[in-house]
Amino acid sequence: MNPLLPAPETLPAAWGWLHGLLMVTFPLHLLAMNAMLGTAALSLLARLKGGPLDLRLARELAKVLPVLIALTVNLGVPPLLFAQVLYGPLLYTSSVLMAVFWLGVPLSLLAAYCAAYLYAYRFAAPGRWGFVPIALALALLFGIAFVFTGNMTLMLEPGRWSAYFGNRGGTLLDLGSPMFWPRYLHNVVGALAVGGLFVAVWGRARAGREPQVGERAVRLGLKVFTRLTLAELLLGAGFLLSVPRPVRGLFLGGSPVATGLLGAGALLAILALAAGVRGRVILCAGLTVPLLYLMAFMRDVLRAGILEPVFGPEALKVAPQTGPMVLFLAILVAGLAVIVWMVRKSLQAGG
Amino acid sequence: MNYPVWYRPGLGGGLVIAVIAIIHVFIAHFAVGGGLYLVFAERKGLGERSPGILAFTKVHARFFLLVTMVAGGMTGVGIWFAISVVQPAATSILIHVFVFAWGAEWVCFLVEIVALFIYVHTFGRMDDRTHLAIGWLYFGTAWLSLFLINGILDFMLAPGGWVANGSFWAGFFNPLFWPSLAFRTALAGLLAGVYAFLTTTFLDAGATRTAMTRFSGGWVLASYGGALLAGLWYALAVPGPARGASLASPTLHRALQAGFWALVALGLLALAFVLARPSSLSRPLAFLALLGALVLVGAVEWLREAARRPYVIHGVMYANGILAGEVDGLNRDGFLARARWAGVREAGEGNLLEAGRELFILQCYACHTLHGFNNDLAARTRNLTYPAMLAYLGTLHDRRPFMPPFAGSAEEARALAAFIVKGVHGRELPAGAPEGGGGRALFEANCTACHDEGLVRTRTAGWGRARLRAALDHLSGLNPGMTDYDGTPQDKDLLADYLAAAEGGAR
């Protein structure tokens, strides 16, 4: 037992409920985040290419970006909330150890959001340096991914926490962890790949109104998706090699669940890649969404495996709050119903 | 003591929270009241068939979207991130006790985002009834967010029955819930009207501008009246111990003053724009009103924070993360041995300064910086000698009820006193009793926390021993800010002798 590991609080519901909510909501955040990153990157790319069609595409993507940022932030709330409930002693501690960078996240988000709006509203502003706001937003978003990867890695490694006694100013980064860089590259490249696919899906939907822009978006988006997914197969393998040997073993036959997840994930990735190469946008997206869920489950198995010697659900006390939980679920269902109604009305109005 | 401390001695985590919180609270309230304002303004435009008012509402809605989504949403995330690194133990309690309330609040936030984007982007393109309904949905979920967060915020000041039974509902619908909800709702309306003053100034002079200035002024005045009544209700509902502790705080008086003048300024401006001359509304005046509202919100939040001290969750956890129920055990067994993130495990002659620094970080730094802008401990202990510091630590909570008690063994108290006197101020620690006998020791132990010897001499010049002795029986009669000295008559005699002799020496 690591003496630095804080005592946990009592859980307000059985681990399974909270964990289920985490696992349902986290991939939704990933989807939105990937769409946001891909949209920003492809808008920048199209802007830099500079032809009339690419500029139109860049401009249309610029208009979508603020909505995607808002959704990404919003959908990031529940997984972070449920992760804090389940892994509080680990996550709060790692956040304190790297507090300066962690606090940099909302600041960077604010700056990226402003830059995205500036880019969208002033797209037509004189050309040569017009790409700067979106490039800045993208750089900030990559920085946020860097900090998140750092925190999610540091929380898994209580053995490295004693570095705090040499640096209490909140500037610890777990760059020395063998997992850090492979994980970061895996996350960012994967996000850009799925983001490319989002642009392709968006282009497909757009094709009815603006066929040329829609078609260009589909072509560019799928190109990014297929190339980066190929790279991702290698980067994923590299990440697997970087995790501690006993945990790696789980995915290589040691655990039927972990091995099954890895196998299913690899198969889905290859199928999605094939669909992408053939230009089957909807099929590709239909395969990629479950793939993202599988990735999230693998990540969860990896986390449980690494933490197994120091932290596990069996040690946590539970005092169920049944009424509040049922009320939350009811509000969630009602909220989703209201959203569906509003979106339908908006589409009917041509919004 | 369960978590590490993010230690930036010159900055202080409290300041980080305060800056983000005041901005966020301002925008968050405005996001609620602004929703209602939008719906009413649109209704007014539709009812009067006024394209001018509808055009104004559309522009106002776009600015509203930018401010609430960008600044409001991001500072909301910011405050969550900030409290989790500055107060991880308290944040953990709030998250675990209220996870489903936070979850419900997230749903509201999601509906708000979708509703507001649709409301803004379909203005003039959707049938009026549906468009208004979406505006109402935005306001409804924004107010529900306020409802949910209000319960959690007030829990920190008055956790009510939760302390005894651990019930979610007892903690959520705590004694402050309803008055605070009424007060915050009124405040939200007030901010919406004040913000509308600003957007109104972007209209060209004319009938629409005059109508919307009057409309916004009426809005502000109605909310103003509501806020005054609800604020009084809220103040009366604050539990007695919290009110007592906060009234002893000098910062509270400053916050009260700032809030009062902000209220006066806002009231006068609103009256001027409604009753006297709507045409006098200019952009600088609108900014002045906005600044007044910001000061008002800042003062309200400051007062709420002050009322909570010395706790972060009243009666449960002190501001430094120590549970109130743990203090006796820590005094008995020692603090460092039980603090997970202490760099040394015990205090002794060989490590007084090192152990003292750990104690400072883990017990004092939650509220005090060292040589920083906010609540600088170095400035506040400038006059304290080692014996005085030691004596002060022993009676800290009694003398200053808004400060937590020192928790730890006698050896640890020595270590903390040594760190402050020698480590911070560079003064050598005395080997024996101070020169000047018992009177000097009593002076150092009881007076130097607030006064240096020179100041006392100046203030009591020419008094003579008899008057000094009489004053010691009723110090609060000299100055209401002073606490009465609770020493024995013999102690008071010794202290009067010392002061009289010092006075003679000074002459």
Short mmCIF file of all heavy atoms in Angstrom, two decimals, chain B residues 16-56:
data_model
loop_
_atom_site.label_atom_id
_atom_site.label_comp_id
_atom_site.label_asym_id
_atom_site.label_seq_id
_atom_site.Cartn_x
_atom_site.Cartn_y
_atom_site.Cartn_z
N VAL B 16 -6.48 32.42 -6.42
CA VAL B 16 -6.80 31.82 -7.71
C VAL B 16 -8.30 31.52 -7.76
O VAL B 16 -8.99 31.86 -8.73
CB VAL B 16 -5.99 30.51 -7.92
CG1 VAL B 16 -6.42 29.81 -9.21
CG2 VAL B 16 -4.50 30.81 -7.93
N ILE B 17 -8.80 30.90 -6.68
CA ILE B 17 -10.23 30.57 -6.64
C ILE B 17 -11.06 31.85 -6.68
O ILE B 17 -12.04 31.95 -7.43
CB ILE B 17 -10.57 29.77 -5.37
CG1 ILE B 17 -9.91 28.40 -5.44
CG2 ILE B 17 -12.07 29.61 -5.20
CD1 ILE B 17 -10.27 27.48 -4.29
N ALA B 18 -10.66 32.83 -5.86
CA ALA B 18 -11.47 34.05 -5.75
C ALA B 18 -11.62 34.74 -7.10
O ALA B 18 -12.72 35.15 -7.48
CB ALA B 18 -10.85 35.00 -4.73
N VAL B 19 -10.52 34.88 -7.82
CA VAL B 19 -10.56 35.61 -9.09
C VAL B 19 -11.49 34.89 -10.07
O VAL B 19 -12.38 35.50 -10.68
CB VAL B 19 -9.14 35.73 -9.69
CG1 VAL B 19 -9.21 36.26 -11.11
CG2 VAL B 19 -8.29 36.65 -8.83
N ILE B 20 -11.31 33.56 -10.20
CA ILE B 20 -12.15 32.82 -11.16
C ILE B 20 -13.59 32.82 -10.68
O ILE B 20 -14.53 33.00 -11.47
CB ILE B 20 -11.66 31.37 -11.33
CG1 ILE B 20 -10.18 31.34 -11.71
CG2 ILE B 20 -12.48 30.64 -12.40
CD1 ILE B 20 -9.61 29.94 -11.78
N ALA B 21 -13.78 32.64 -9.36
CA ALA B 21 -15.14 32.48 -8.83
C ALA B 21 -15.96 33.74 -9.04
O ALA B 21 -17.12 33.66 -9.46
CB ALA B 21 -15.10 32.12 -7.36
N ILE B 22 -15.37 34.89 -8.77
CA ILE B 22 -16.16 36.12 -8.87
C ILE B 22 -16.61 36.35 -10.32
O ILE B 22 -17.78 36.66 -10.59
CB ILE B 22 -15.37 37.32 -8.32
CG1 ILE B 22 -15.28 37.19 -6.80
CG2 ILE B 22 -16.04 38.65 -8.69
CD1 ILE B 22 -14.44 38.23 -6.12
N ILE B 23 -15.68 36.10 -11.25
CA ILE B 23 -16.06 36.27 -12.67
C ILE B 23 -17.14 35.25 -13.04
O ILE B 23 -18.15 35.57 -13.67
CB ILE B 23 -14.83 36.10 -13.59
CG1 ILE B 23 -13.80 37.18 -13.26
CG2 ILE B 23 -15.23 36.17 -15.06
CD1 ILE B 23 -12.47 36.99 -13.95
N HIS B 24 -16.92 34.01 -12.61
CA HIS B 24 -17.87 32.97 -13.00
C HIS B 24 -19.25 33.20 -12.38
O HIS B 24 -20.28 33.05 -13.06
CB HIS B 24 -17.35 31.59 -12.61
CG HIS B 24 -18.35 30.50 -12.91
ND1 HIS B 24 -18.68 30.16 -14.20
CD2 HIS B 24 -19.13 29.73 -12.11
CE1 HIS B 24 -19.60 29.23 -14.19
NE2 HIS B 24 -19.90 28.94 -12.93
N VAL B 25 -19.26 33.54 -11.11
CA VAL B 25 -20.55 33.74 -10.44
C VAL B 25 -21.31 34.88 -11.11
O VAL B 25 -22.52 34.81 -11.34
CB VAL B 25 -20.33 34.04 -8.94
CG1 VAL B 25 -21.60 34.52 -8.29
CG2 VAL B 25 -19.84 32.78 -8.24
N PHE B 26 -20.58 35.90 -11.47
CA PHE B 26 -21.18 37.04 -12.16
C PHE B 26 -21.84 36.58 -13.46
O PHE B 26 -23.02 36.85 -13.72
CB PHE B 26 -20.08 38.08 -12.43
CG PHE B 26 -20.55 39.32 -13.13
CD1 PHE B 26 -21.25 40.29 -12.43
CD2 PHE B 26 -20.29 39.52 -14.46
CE1 PHE B 26 -21.68 41.44 -13.08
CE2 PHE B 26 -20.71 40.66 -15.11
CZ PHE B 26 -21.41 41.63 -14.42
N ILE B 27 -21.07 35.87 -14.28
CA ILE B 27 -21.60 35.45 -15.58
C ILE B 27 -22.70 34.40 -15.41
O ILE B 27 -23.70 34.40 -16.13
CB ILE B 27 -20.47 34.92 -16.48
CG1 ILE B 27 -19.46 36.03 -16.73
CG2 ILE B 27 -21.02 34.42 -17.80
CD1 ILE B 27 -18.20 35.57 -17.41
N ALA B 28 -22.52 33.51 -14.43
CA ALA B 28 -23.49 32.43 -14.25
C ALA B 28 -24.85 32.99 -13.85
O ALA B 28 -25.89 32.54 -14.36
CB ALA B 28 -22.99 31.45 -13.20
N HIS B 29 -24.87 33.97 -12.97
CA HIS B 29 -26.15 34.57 -12.59
C HIS B 29 -26.76 35.33 -13.77
O HIS B 29 -27.96 35.29 -14.01
CB HIS B 29 -25.97 35.53 -11.41
CG HIS B 29 -25.85 34.83 -10.10
ND1 HIS B 29 -24.66 34.34 -9.64
CD2 HIS B 29 -26.77 34.50 -9.17
CE1 HIS B 29 -24.86 33.76 -8.47
NE2 HIS B 29 -26.13 33.83 -8.16
N PHE B 30 -25.88 35.99 -14.46
CA PHE B 30 -26.34 36.74 -15.62
C PHE B 30 -26.92 35.81 -16.68
O PHE B 30 -27.91 36.12 -17.35
CB PHE B 30 -25.15 37.56 -16.14
CG PHE B 30 -25.22 37.93 -17.56
CD1 PHE B 30 -26.18 38.82 -17.99
CD2 PHE B 30 -24.34 37.40 -18.48
CE1 PHE B 30 -26.24 39.16 -19.33
CE2 PHE B 30 -24.40 37.73 -19.80
CZ PHE B 30 -25.36 38.61 -20.23
N ALA B 31 -26.33 34.60 -16.80
CA ALA B 31 -26.81 33.63 -17.78
C ALA B 31 -28.23 33.18 -17.45
O ALA B 31 -29.00 32.83 -18.34
CB ALA B 31 -25.88 32.42 -17.83
N VAL B 32 -28.58 33.19 -16.18
CA VAL B 32 -29.93 32.80 -15.78
C VAL B 32 -30.91 33.94 -16.05
O VAL B 32 -31.89 33.80 -16.79
CB VAL B 32 -29.97 32.41 -14.28
CG1 VAL B 32 -31.39 32.07 -13.86
CG2 VAL B 32 -29.04 31.24 -14.02
N GLY B 33 -30.61 35.08 -15.46
CA GLY B 33 -31.52 36.22 -15.61
C GLY B 33 -31.63 36.66 -17.06
O GLY B 33 -32.70 37.06 -17.53
N GLY B 34 -30.51 36.57 -17.78
CA GLY B 34 -30.50 36.99 -19.18
C GLY B 34 -31.45 36.18 -20.03
O GLY B 34 -32.02 36.70 -21.00
N GLY B 35 -31.62 34.90 -19.69
CA GLY B 35 -32.54 34.05 -20.43
C GLY B 35 -33.96 34.57 -20.33
O GLY B 35 -34.69 34.67 -21.33
N LEU B 36 -34.34 34.94 -19.12
CA LEU B 36 -35.69 35.46 -18.91
C LEU B 36 -35.85 36.82 -19.61
O LEU B 36 -36.89 37.11 -20.21
CB LEU B 36 -35.96 35.59 -17.41
CG LEU B 36 -37.40 35.81 -17.00
CD1 LEU B 36 -38.28 34.66 -17.45
CD2 LEU B 36 -37.53 35.97 -15.49
N TYR B 37 -34.81 37.61 -19.53
CA TYR B 37 -34.84 38.93 -20.17
C TYR B 37 -35.09 38.76 -21.67
O TYR B 37 -35.89 39.47 -22.27
CB TYR B 37 -33.51 39.66 -19.91
CG TYR B 37 -33.45 41.03 -20.53
CD1 TYR B 37 -33.81 42.15 -19.80
CD2 TYR B 37 -33.05 41.20 -21.86
CE1 TYR B 37 -33.77 43.42 -20.37
CE2 TYR B 37 -33.01 42.45 -22.44
CZ TYR B 37 -33.37 43.56 -21.69
OH TYR B 37 -33.32 44.80 -22.26
N LEU B 38 -34.36 37.80 -22.28
CA LEU B 38 -34.51 37.58 -23.72
C LEU B 38 -35.95 37.24 -24.08
O LEU B 38 -36.52 37.79 -25.03
CB LEU B 38 -33.60 36.42 -24.17
CG LEU B 38 -32.14 36.73 -24.43
CD1 LEU B 38 -31.39 35.46 -24.80
CD2 LEU B 38 -32.01 37.75 -25.56
N VAL B 39 -36.54 36.32 -23.31
CA VAL B 39 -37.90 35.89 -23.61
C VAL B 39 -38.87 37.07 -23.47
O VAL B 39 -39.74 37.29 -24.33
CB VAL B 39 -38.32 34.74 -22.66
CG1 VAL B 39 -39.77 34.37 -22.88
CG2 VAL B 39 -37.44 33.52 -22.91
N PHE B 40 -38.70 37.84 -22.41
CA PHE B 40 -39.60 38.98 -22.19
C PHE B 40 -39.39 40.05 -23.26
O PHE B 40 -40.35 40.67 -23.73
CB PHE B 40 -39.39 39.56 -20.79
CG PHE B 40 -40.27 38.90 -19.77
CD1 PHE B 40 -39.98 37.62 -19.29
CD2 PHE B 40 -41.42 39.52 -19.29
CE1 PHE B 40 -40.79 37.00 -18.36
CE2 PHE B 40 -42.24 38.90 -18.37
CZ PHE B 40 -41.94 37.64 -17.90
N ALA B 41 -38.14 40.26 -23.62
CA ALA B 41 -37.87 41.28 -24.65
C ALA B 41 -38.48 40.84 -25.98
O ALA B 41 -39.08 41.65 -26.71
CB ALA B 41 -36.37 41.51 -24.79
N GLU B 42 -38.33 39.56 -26.31
CA GLU B 42 -38.90 39.07 -27.57
C GLU B 42 -40.44 39.18 -27.53
O GLU B 42 -41.07 39.59 -28.51
CB GLU B 42 -38.47 37.62 -27.83
CG GLU B 42 -38.90 37.15 -29.22
CD GLU B 42 -38.54 35.69 -29.52
OE1 GLU B 42 -37.89 35.05 -28.69
OE2 GLU B 42 -38.96 35.21 -30.58
N ARG B 43 -41.02 38.81 -26.39
CA ARG B 43 -42.48 38.92 -26.24
C ARG B 43 -42.95 40.35 -26.43
O ARG B 43 -43.95 40.63 -27.08
CB ARG B 43 -42.89 38.42 -24.86
CG ARG B 43 -43.34 36.99 -24.88
CD ARG B 43 -43.72 36.48 -23.54
NE ARG B 43 -44.42 37.46 -22.70
CZ ARG B 43 -45.16 37.13 -21.65
NH1 ARG B 43 -45.30 35.85 -21.33
NH2 ARG B 43 -45.74 38.03 -20.91
N LYS B 44 -42.14 41.26 -25.85
CA LYS B 44 -42.49 42.68 -25.97
C LYS B 44 -42.45 43.11 -27.45
O LYS B 44 -43.37 43.76 -27.94
CB LYS B 44 -41.49 43.51 -25.15
CG LYS B 44 -41.72 45.01 -25.12
CD LYS B 44 -40.65 45.65 -24.22
CE LYS B 44 -40.63 47.16 -24.34
NZ LYS B 44 -41.84 47.82 -23.83
N GLY B 45 -41.39 42.67 -28.12
CA GLY B 45 -41.25 43.00 -29.55
C GLY B 45 -42.39 42.43 -30.37
O GLY B 45 -42.94 43.11 -31.26
N LEU B 46 -42.75 41.19 -30.08
CA LEU B 46 -43.83 40.54 -30.83
C LEU B 46 -45.17 41.20 -30.51
O LEU B 46 -45.98 41.48 -31.41
CB LEU B 46 -43.89 39.04 -30.49
CG LEU B 46 -42.72 38.18 -31.01
CD1 LEU B 46 -42.79 36.78 -30.42
CD2 LEU B 46 -42.74 38.12 -32.54
N GLY B 47 -45.39 41.45 -29.22
CA GLY B 47 -46.65 42.05 -28.79
C GLY B 47 -46.85 43.42 -29.38
O GLY B 47 -47.96 43.78 -29.78
N GLU B 48 -45.78 44.20 -29.45
CA GLU B 48 -45.89 45.57 -29.97
C GLU B 48 -45.64 45.61 -31.47
O GLU B 48 -45.58 46.70 -32.05
CB GLU B 48 -44.88 46.47 -29.24
CG GLU B 48 -45.17 46.61 -27.75
CD GLU B 48 -44.11 47.42 -27.01
OE1 GLU B 48 -43.31 48.09 -27.69
OE2 GLU B 48 -44.09 47.34 -25.77
N ARG B 49 -45.39 44.43 -32.05
CA ARG B 49 -45.06 44.34 -33.48
C ARG B 49 -43.95 45.34 -33.83
O ARG B 49 -44.06 46.13 -34.77
CB ARG B 49 -46.28 44.61 -34.35
CG ARG B 49 -47.38 43.59 -34.14
CD ARG B 49 -48.58 43.92 -35.03
NE ARG B 49 -49.73 43.13 -34.64
CZ ARG B 49 -49.92 41.88 -35.00
NH1 ARG B 49 -49.05 41.25 -35.74
NH2 ARG B 49 -51.00 41.22 -34.59
N SER B 50 -42.91 45.30 -33.03
CA SER B 50 -41.83 46.28 -33.20
C SER B 50 -40.59 45.60 -33.79
O SER B 50 -39.89 44.87 -33.09
CB SER B 50 -41.47 46.90 -31.85
OG SER B 50 -40.22 47.52 -31.91
N PRO B 51 -40.31 45.82 -35.07
CA PRO B 51 -39.10 45.23 -35.67
C PRO B 51 -37.84 45.71 -34.94
O PRO B 51 -36.86 44.97 -34.83
CB PRO B 51 -39.12 45.72 -37.11
CG PRO B 51 -40.50 46.21 -37.36
CD PRO B 51 -41.06 46.63 -36.04
N GLY B 52 -37.88 46.95 -34.44
CA GLY B 52 -36.71 47.50 -33.74
C GLY B 52 -36.38 46.70 -32.49
O GLY B 52 -35.22 46.34 -32.25
N ILE B 53 -37.42 46.43 -31.69
CA ILE B 53 -37.17 45.68 -30.45
C ILE B 53 -36.73 44.25 -30.77
O ILE B 53 -35.82 43.70 -30.14
CB ILE B 53 -38.44 45.68 -29.56
CG1 ILE B 53 -38.70 47.10 -29.07
CG2 ILE B 53 -38.29 44.71 -28.39
CD1 ILE B 53 -39.94 47.24 -28.21
N LEU B 54 -37.33 43.66 -31.80
CA LEU B 54 -36.94 42.30 -32.17
C LEU B 54 -35.50 42.26 -32.68
O LEU B 54 -34.74 41.34 -32.34
CB LEU B 54 -37.90 41.74 -33.23
CG LEU B 54 -39.29 41.37 -32.71
CD1 LEU B 54 -40.21 40.99 -33.86
CD2 LEU B 54 -39.20 40.22 -31.70
N ALA B 55 -35.13 43.28 -33.45
CA ALA B 55 -33.75 43.33 -33.93
C ALA B 55 -32.79 43.49 -32.76
O ALA B 55 -31.72 42.85 -32.71
CB ALA B 55 -33.58 44.48 -34.92
N PHE B 56 -33.18 44.35 -31.81
CA PHE B 56 -32.35 44.53 -30.62
C PHE B 56 -32.20 43.19 -29.88
O PHE B 56 -31.10 42.80 -29.47
CB PHE B 56 -32.99 45.57 -29.69
CG PHE B 56 -32.42 45.53 -28.30
CD1 PHE B 56 -31.19 46.13 -28.02
CD2 PHE B 56 -33.08 44.87 -27.27
CE1 PHE B 56 -30.66 46.08 -26.75
CE2 PHE B 56 -32.55 44.81 -26.00
CZ PHE B 56 -31.33 45.42 -25.74
#
